[in-house]
Amino acid sequence: IYSSVGIGCLLGPFVANYFTNIDRVASLQGACIIAMGINAFGWIGISSASSFPSLCLFNSVRSFGGSIIWINSTLLLQKLVPNRILG
């Protein structure tokens, strides 16, 4: 189960990187919004998983979305918050 989470966390930001641009805040926000849907789909799949492989698959999907949210929201904070607050 942990390795399926790792696979999703590794692949999520790499895939999202192709569709986002650090200079366009809207693309980062859009990636976070889409990733929330991916995350929800993963949780729904986990709740209805009938076998261990399907549980691992949906767990990867869930962590795929969660890692996109984590990375892109961090980039948004660094981009939007004034430098005096960043530390």
Side-chain angles (χ1 to χ4, degrees):
I1 293 174
Y2 285 119
S3 61
S4 65
V5 171
I7 290 169
C9 285
L10 179 68
L11 293 178
F14 283 119
V15 172
N17 191 37
Y18 289 112
F19 302 107
T20 58
N21 183 358
I22 189 72
D23 296 325
R24 289 186 48 233
V25 173
S27 70
L28 296 173
Q29 291 170 336
C32 286
I33 291 169
I34 292 170
M36 286 181 193
I38 294 170
N39 201 356
F41 178 72
W43 277 116
I44 292 168
I46 287 172
S47 70
S48 63
S50 60
S51 65
F52 184 71
S54 65
L55 174 77
C56 289
L57 173 71
F58 286 116
N59 210 6
S60 291
V61 170
R62 178 197 59 81
S63 63
F64 185 93
S67 64
I68 292 172
I69 294 169
W70 186 346
I71 297 298
N72 287 335
S73 65
T74 304
L75 291 172
L76 281 168
L77 280 172
Q78 291 176 359
K79 190 83 171 159
L80 298 176
V81 172
N83 286 338
R84 62 180 172 81
I85 297 176
L86 286 177

